[in-house]
Amino acid sequence: MAIGIFDSGLGGLTVYDAIHKRMPDLDTIYLGDHKHAPYGVRDADDIYRCTTNSVQILFDHGCDLVILACNTASAAALRRMQEHWLTDDKRVLGVFVPMIEALTERHWGDNSPPRQVAVEHVALFATPATVSSRAFQRELAFRAIGVDVEAQACGGVVDAIEDGDFILAEALVQSHVDALHRKMPHPQAAILGCTHYPLMHDAFQKALGPKVKIFSQAGLVAQSLEDYLQRHPEKLGMATASKFLTTGDPVKVSQRATQFLKRPMQFEAA
């Protein structure tokens, strides 16, 4: 039985890879909405429409549980989906919760009042849509007080990674970190708020300096999913085989995905 993993493009493959390494026997159906990528420059209604259409494709393939391995979709669409679109027999999980659990060292089921946590100055690097949604700050406020979050919209980084231009991506990372430092000179921690960004982890660390702790989502999401499936095994659904789907050109996406994960990847048309 399989779960669905959705992203607007290739970034979610970092989450897929972490899930596969943690639970190698778990079947997954990955869908990249490459036809409409990137989501990070779209407005909220457009992101919601694209996200629900894509998640429905995964539901139609037999997945009862879908991971939104896309920060933009998690920020701009997930709450609306849960309140107005999802049925009781389906579940969609975003990528913010595991990150906030790690940052605050509090389990999501801990409903005690917000309290002080170990860090006070946090840099958030994300797409323009994720930054403008302020979803990360909103969810963090339910768990922690006294945390100053400075968000930096990282325009162009996703496009450069998707195009395989990592020299440009590294230069853009340096530029965005420089811009962040002008607003917050001494962050204690940094959130890589896009599933593409783990591929640029070393570039972020170099630009931020060795004292800044970087929180990257892929491993945290995989750990959280394993815990969730242990508690809710019925959400595995009826899908019975792993596959990779795209709304774009399967040949081009397969080539880019192979470069992205550095191993052969074969995508099919959704």
Side-chain angles (χ1 to χ4, degrees):
M1 296 185 288
I3 62 150
I5 302 173
F6 165 70
D7 185 34
S8 59
L10 296 176
L13 287 175
T14 61
V15 174
Y16 156 78
D17 199 39
I19 289 172
H20 180 69
K21 288 175 180 176
R22 193 172 188 94
M23 295 172 282
D25 295 329
L26 179 66
D27 287 327
T28 56
I29 299 179
Y30 183 94
L31 172 63
D33 188 18
H34 296 89
K35 181 179 179 179
H36 301 105
Y39 280 16
V41 295
R42 294 179 176 272
D43 64 38
D45 286 340
D46 206 12
I47 294 167
Y48 176 79
R49 178 185 58 81
C50 291
T51 301
T52 52
N53 288 344
S54 295
V55 171
Q56 186 61 55
I57 291 173
L58 290 169
F59 287 163
D60 292 344
H61 275 79
C63 300
D64 289 343
L65 170 64
V66 174
I67 304 297
L68 289 192
C70 175
N71 284 268
T72 302
S74 295
L78 179 57
R79 182 180 290 267
R80 185 174 167 188
M81 290 171 66
Q82 291 172 332
E83 292 176 350
H84 304 291
W85 185 75
L86 280 177
T87 55
D88 291 341
D89 60 328
K90 306 295 184 185
R91 189 72 187 268
V92 176
L93 302 177
V95 289
F96 282 161
V97 168
M99 183 70 76
I100 291 172
E101 286 181 328
L103 182 66
T104 63
E105 298 182 345
R106 292 182 62 179
H107 190 273
W108 202 249
D110 178 357
N111 292 316
S112 59
R115 59 176 180 260
Q116 294 285 146
V117 295
V119 294
E120 296 178 350
H121 305 289
V122 177
L124 169 65
F125 297 96
T127 65
T130 297
V131 169
S132 64
S133 75
R134 293 190 60 81
F136 180 83
Q137 292 93 321
R138 183 180 64 244
E139 297 295 340
L140 179 63
F142 290 128
R143 296 290 179 270
I145 58 174
V147 181
D148 178 22
V149 178
E150 189 64 61
Q152 175 63 36
C154 297
V157 175
V158 169
D159 297 291
I161 293 173
E162 291 269 340
D163 291 339
D165 191 344
F166 289 93
I167 294 176
L168 174 59
E170 185 169 353
L172 288 169
V173 166
Q174 182 65 61
S175 175
H176 291 309
V177 171
D178 289 344
L180 181 283
H181 276 151
R182 288 193 288 272
K183 298 178 287 185
M184 179 181 280
H186 303 292
Q188 297 165 291
I191 303 296
L192 302 189
C194 174
T195 50
H196 286 74
Y197 296 174
L199 293 177
M200 305 307 299
H201 181 282
D202 290 347
F204 276 103
Q205 191 73 75
K206 179 181 178 182
L208 287 164
K211 294 183 179 180
V212 178
K213 182 177 182 179
I214 292 180
F215 289 85
S216 191
Q217 290 170 315
L220 295 172
V221 171
Q223 180 180 349
S224 180
L225 175 62
E226 183 179 43
D227 178 65
Y228 180 84
L229 290 176
Q230 287 173 352
R231 292 180 286 113
H232 302 280
E234 74 281 0
K235 288 300 182 184
L236 280 168
M238 297 303 295
T240 57
S242 292
K243 63 180 69 175
F244 299 90
L245 304 174
T246 178
T247 59
D249 182 333
V251 175
K252 291 181 179 179
V253 172
S254 296
Q255 292 171 344
R256 289 180 178 178
T258 296
Q259 183 181 24
F260 194 85
L261 284 188
K262 296 181 173 57
R263 65 173 183 268
M265 303 290 294
Q266 188 66 46
F267 276 72
E268 307 170 20

